[in-house]
Amino acid sequence: MTLERLPTNALPPAPVTPARPYTFEVHGVRIQDDYAWLKAENWKEVLKNPAALDPAIRECLERENTYASEAFAGTEDFQARLVAEMRGRIKEDDSSVPQPDGPFAYFTRYRDGGQHPLVCRQPRDGGSETVMLDGDREAEGHAFFNLGGADHSPDHRLLAWGSDIKGSEYFTLRVRDLGTGKDLSDEVPQTSGGVVWLNDSSGFYYVELDENHRPVRVRRHLIGTDPAQDRTVYEEKDPGFFVKLGVTQSDAFVLIEASDHETSEVWLLDRSDAAATPRLVEARTPQLQYDVEHHGDSLIILTNADGAEDFKIVTAPVASPGRAHWKDLVPYRPGTMILSVMALARYLVRLERENANPRIVLREMATGREDSIAFDEEAYSLGFTPGYEFDTDVIRYHYSSLTTPGEVTDYDLRTGERTLRKRQEVPSGHDPADYVTRRLFATAPDGEQVPISILHRREIAVDGSAPCLLYGYGSYGMSMPASFRTGILSLVDRGFVYAIAHIRGGTEKGWRWYLDGKREKKTNTFKDFIACGEALAAAGYTSRGRIVAHGGSAGGMLMGAVANMAPDLFAGIIAEVPFVDVLNTMLDADLPLTPPEWPEWGNPAADEGAFSTILAYSPYDNVKPQAYPAILSLAGLTDPRVTYWEPAKWVARLRATMTGGGPILLRLNMDAGHGGAAGRFDRLEEVALAYTFAIKSIEGFGR
């Protein structure tokens, strides 16, 4: 199996971003930043109004977009073919399985050709649907549209929904009367996008973002009142803690959670009392994490207390929920990480992971008897959906693998009966027997065994000749599931091996796996990824110089680091919304994510050790005079998480410093933020560009 040859063309001269040296000193170390000027002084205004961007900066970014387009000249037809292939694997009128709640069952679906979801319901036992919200209609006239939450009221009369039309993740909430289909006058700006309703449907709670784009205030809105008069029921004073809302499965309590990446604190609000004040479960203690569920007179708490590194489950009385009253229900077992827990009327359901594969454990409350749901594939993805109801014996779980399309199954907790509710359709056809999924382990420099999930066509020769797309993330304790992805088949069917590196910084092998990839141990993440590339080559799945690395956001930082550390291992690097200017960002306490990120990376302003560590690996600060592989950076102008100037500065420094290789390309979506294009088909165009880059990198961009 060989790659098709793409059209080649002579690359025009790359844009030269003017250097305007800016120097500053931290802990006695003098640092020069030639491209600091690319950060707009009015960046907060730009998030809300992209037209406010400094014309000189806009011109620089538009030159980059022009150059990227020129670099891909002649591949337009191929990209269109990729989009058509990927679109052909999507069931265009797809819908979710209706989820029952009282007299109705709620679901989302798409129409043929539609970019955005339709939020619908039908009678619980079947019948004609009602479209409560048409995402395509709401998106009309907007270059960008992202639907946030769409939450129906407990009495089923109203729908609170949020939308973002800038890509900056400032969501405006509206309330729709489901009887008339019209929105009420209630309009709440600058929120995180979702709500939790009061049980009597008289109003809802939401999280308001401050001027630094941080979710800090929980406010209560009563239907028909002026949002400016909404009462603040909780306000977080620590800029390092973000606030989010939840609700217990029992519907008894609204949950206010304040947390950073290693400490959490939960407050309870009586969901039946419109005048309720928050009640603290347990005061924040550094490194103590806990999540709360409710069952009868008890709280069910998932926590890492008492050295339970991979978490345990405890109970506490609702009347006295503090840590002094916590009693073990599911004890801590080293190496078995409990990921989440849900309490139903008669059962406790938990998701846990061991040896990088998940399972669902079902516990009967009355007897303590446990059963589990697991699968035999070497690598797979498994999770469950909470649903709306508490008094039920049915849970819904989702399963897929790199070769097996997604399946949605209802499981009867009382009888053990499984009812397949949906199997993902691939309209253009898909035979799992044509593919192979494997689990390989790479040996890191310190001896750790790093899991790799692998997908390839059955007929490829495992002789080192195949190109490989190697994906990695490795931050915040996030694990990368080995789930079914239709898009990647466009590369795999062209002879690529696809691999996911389950590197440290995630939790695939438990909480320690995360701790060993953060702060002073961050370089383990990068070394693990390089070891995965080397292991794939040694096993014959690919060879050095035929690997294209892929990562986004914090995974984009990984891309920048491995480009500096092992450039000859890779033919190309795809860095989406890459967090590459780590030092400067962590020194700027005004940026939206900086204070909450200090537990993950360290605070270089306050801690000289953290400063030295970050300075030693920050991709932007460690660009060096060497040959680099081809690099494609994808970013968004209104991204509040990884600001546009990070990739723009990185690309400029790479071009000014490197001694060969490349090209270095930046494609900036001027109408989007962190997630790129919001429409499901518009997003395919960005994926097609990345895959075209991967192929051209293997071919050497015509050189």
Side-chain angles (χ1 to χ4, degrees):
M1 186 176 293
T2 59
L3 286 178
E4 55 197 286
R5 298 294 299 181
L6 297 183
T8 60
N9 56 291
L11 290 173
V16 176
T17 302
R20 301 178 185 174
Y22 165 72
T23 59
F24 59 99
E25 188 173 297
V26 184
H27 301 299
V29 178
R30 193 167 182 80
I31 296 172
Q32 179 171 311
D33 187 350
D34 289 345
Y35 305 103
W37 68 272
L38 289 171
K39 175 187 174 183
E41 293 183 4
N42 65 335
W43 62 267
K44 294 179 187 179
E45 182 183 0
V46 172
L47 284 178
K48 297 179 180 179
N49 177 22
L53 183 66
D54 183 329
I57 298 174
R58 180 178 295 276
E59 181 183 0
C60 179
L61 301 179
E62 289 175 345
R63 283 200 307 268
E64 292 291 351
N65 281 342
T66 299
Y67 177 61
S69 296
E70 291 170 339
F72 287 100
T75 68
E76 292 84 358
D77 289 345
F78 177 72
Q79 291 182 54
R81 186 148 46 93
L82 285 180
V83 170
E85 281 180 16
M86 291 186 286
R87 187 164 176 168
R89 298 189 194 101
I90 296 173
K91 188 175 187 296
E92 294 210 3
D93 60 349
D94 200 11
S95 63
S96 65
V97 179
Q99 188 73 256
D101 184 22
F104 296 101
Y106 290 82
F107 61 101
T108 59
R109 69 172 178 85
Y110 290 86
R111 58 166 59 90
D112 279 338
Q115 296 266 23
H116 303 280
L118 283 69
V119 182
C120 309
R121 72 180 179 190
Q122 64 187 32
R124 182 187 183 104
D125 297 323
S128 59
E129 72 168 31
T130 299
V131 177
M132 300 183 293
L133 184 77
D134 185 335
D136 289 321
R137 180 177 176 182
E138 301 299 336
E140 290 176 0
H142 301 296
F144 180 93
F145 176 83
N146 185 26
L147 180 65
D151 304 295
H152 64 272
S153 59
D155 65 5
H156 306 280
R157 294 187 307 106
L158 303 170
L159 183 78
W161 63 283
S163 64
D164 166 25
I165 59 172
K166 301 293 186 183
S168 53
E169 300 178 45
Y170 280 114
F171 289 87
T172 297
L173 294 173
R174 296 175 175 84
V175 180
R176 180 154 299 181
D177 184 325
L178 296 177
T180 66
K182 296 181 179 180
D183 288 336
L184 305 179
S185 59
D186 307 64
E187 189 170 302
V188 186
Q190 208 162 301
T191 79
S192 61
V195 311
V196 175
W197 283 93
L198 288 160
N199 274 338
D200 65 1
S201 304
S202 63
F204 53 77
Y205 296 97
Y206 63 93
V207 177
E208 183 179 59
L209 278 61
D210 68 9
E211 288 305 309
N212 279 25
H213 204 281
R214 294 173 185 151
V216 297
R217 281 182 291 276
V218 175
R219 306 190 75 188
R220 181 167 51 227
H221 176 72
L222 299 179
I223 301 301
T225 64
D226 182 356
Q229 304 304 314
D230 289 352
R231 180 183 172 188
T232 297
V233 298
Y234 179 89
E235 183 165 9
E236 179 56 50
K237 301 299 185 182
D238 187 336
F241 277 65
F242 279 8
V243 174
K244 65 180 180 181
L245 284 175
V247 63
T248 59
Q249 189 70 20
S250 66
D251 286 334
F253 296 106
V254 178
L255 304 171
I256 301 174
E257 180 181 321
S259 63
D260 60 14
H261 291 294
E262 57 187 21
T263 301
S264 61
E265 180 179 82
V266 178
W267 299 73
L268 305 177
L269 279 169
D270 184 340
R271 200 178 177 194
S272 298
D273 182 1
T277 56
R279 189 158 61 92
L280 179 64
V281 174
E282 172 65 22
R284 65 188 67 172
T285 301
Q287 284 81 53
L288 175 67
Q289 298 185 63
Y290 67 96
D291 294 317
V292 175
E293 261 284 25
H294 168 243
H295 189 271
D297 294 331
S298 298
L299 298 181
I300 309 292
I301 301 172
L302 175 63
T303 181
N304 67 346
D306 309 315
E309 185 176 73
D310 291 323
F311 292 80
K312 64 178 180 177
I313 300 174
V314 303
T315 63
V318 170
S320 52
R323 187 174 174 181
H325 301 99
W326 291 4
K327 294 182 179 180
D328 285 5
L329 179 66
V330 179
Y332 166 51
R333 290 173 295 157
T336 300
M337 184 170 178
I338 304 177
L339 303 169
S340 62
V341 62
M342 174 179 68
L344 299 174
R346 288 168 290 281
Y347 296 91
L348 189 69
V349 183
R350 70 180 187 266
L351 179 66
E352 59 186 34
R353 184 168 53 238
E354 188 173 16
N355 292 325
N357 273 337
R359 63 174 169 257
I360 297 171
V361 182
L362 318 163
R363 181 186 181 97
E364 191 173 48
M365 286 287 201
T367 66
R369 179 180 60 86
E370 292 191 348
D371 295 306
S372 64
I373 301 171
F375 294 85
D376 294 330
E377 288 195 77
E378 290 185 34
Y380 61 86
S381 174
L382 178 66
F384 61 80
T385 302
Y388 296 113
E389 299 185 325
F390 177 69
D391 189 3
T392 178
D393 292 332
V394 177
I395 66 162
R396 180 166 293 168
Y397 69 80
H398 304 255
Y399 169 81
S400 75
S401 75
L402 291 172
T403 58
T404 307
E407 297 177 348
V408 180
T409 301
D410 281 352
Y411 183 91
D412 191 308
L413 295 158
R414 184 173 53 84
T415 66
E417 181 182 359
R418 305 185 191 205
T419 304
L420 180 66
R421 296 299 307 274
K422 179 182 178 180
R423 178 175 285 117
Q424 182 179 354
E425 294 182 43
V426 183
S428 60
H430 174 74
D431 185 351
D434 291 339
Y435 303 88
V436 174
T437 184
R438 289 284 183 265
R439 174 63 57 78
L440 182 70
F441 287 86
T443 302
D446 62 358
E448 285 284 4
Q449 296 296 295
V450 184
I452 311 170
S453 297
I454 301 169
L455 172 70
H456 62 78
R457 292 281 305 189
R458 188 169 296 277
E459 66 268 24
I460 73 159
V462 185
D463 60 2
S465 62
C468 174
L469 185 75
L470 177 59
Y471 180 82
Y473 188 76
S475 290
Y476 306 119
M478 294 180 63
S479 63
M480 296 296 107
S483 55
F484 188 67
R485 298 161 168 83
T486 58
I488 194 61
L489 297 177
S490 285
L491 283 184
V492 172
D493 286 346
R494 287 174 169 80
F496 269 75
V497 170
Y498 176 62
I500 304 171
H502 301 290
I503 51 185
R504 278 175 282 186
T507 52
E508 283 87 342
K509 295 180 71 174
W511 196 254
R512 181 187 62 83
W513 203 243
Y514 167 48
L515 297 178
D516 281 352
K518 66 183 293 189
R519 285 200 295 264
E520 69 277 1
K521 297 181 179 181
K522 189 63 213 172
T523 55
N524 284 337
T525 303
F526 317 141
K527 294 173 183 176
D528 284 359
F529 189 84
I530 292 168
C532 288
E534 299 281 10
L536 288 164
Y541 286 104
T542 187
S543 57
R544 292 179 59 86
R546 290 185 66 76
I547 301 171
V548 178
H550 182 200
S553 197
M557 176 200 63
L558 168 69
M559 296 298 100
V562 300
N564 290 333
M565 295 168 65
D568 59 341
L569 181 61
F570 306 104
I573 290 179
I574 302 167
E576 298 194 58
V577 290
F579 176 37
V580 284
D581 194 10
V582 184
L583 182 63
N584 281 309
T585 294
M586 287 298 101
L587 286 169
D588 189 344
D590 286 337
L591 290 175
L593 294 186
T594 293
E597 298 284 276
W598 286 331
E600 182 76 14
W601 316 106
N603 182 347
D607 182 345
E608 188 172 355
F611 169 78
S612 298
T613 296
I614 294 172
L615 180 61
Y617 72 72
S618 175
Y620 177 66
D621 295 284
N622 286 277
V623 171
K624 61 190 71 171
Q626 63 182 6
Y628 278 86
I631 294 176
L632 172 64
S633 180
L634 301 169
L637 178 61
T638 54
D639 187 346
R641 300 170 185 253
V642 178
T643 51
Y644 73 85
W645 59 82
E646 291 206 31
K649 291 171 60 178
W650 179 50
V651 164
R653 178 168 279 186
L654 279 165
R655 290 208 196 105
T657 308
M658 61 195 286
T659 59
I664 309 298
L665 307 173
L666 171 61
R667 180 69 171 268
L668 194 88
N669 191 325
M670 304 297 281
D671 297 309
H674 197 67
R680 58 176 178 157
F681 301 133
D682 289 343
R683 172 60 182 158
L684 295 181
E685 295 180 5
E686 296 179 344
V687 176
L689 183 76
Y691 289 175
T692 301
F693 171 84
I695 294 172
K696 286 184 73 67
S697 296
I698 297 297
E699 295 175 345
F701 265 85
R703 284 190 293 273

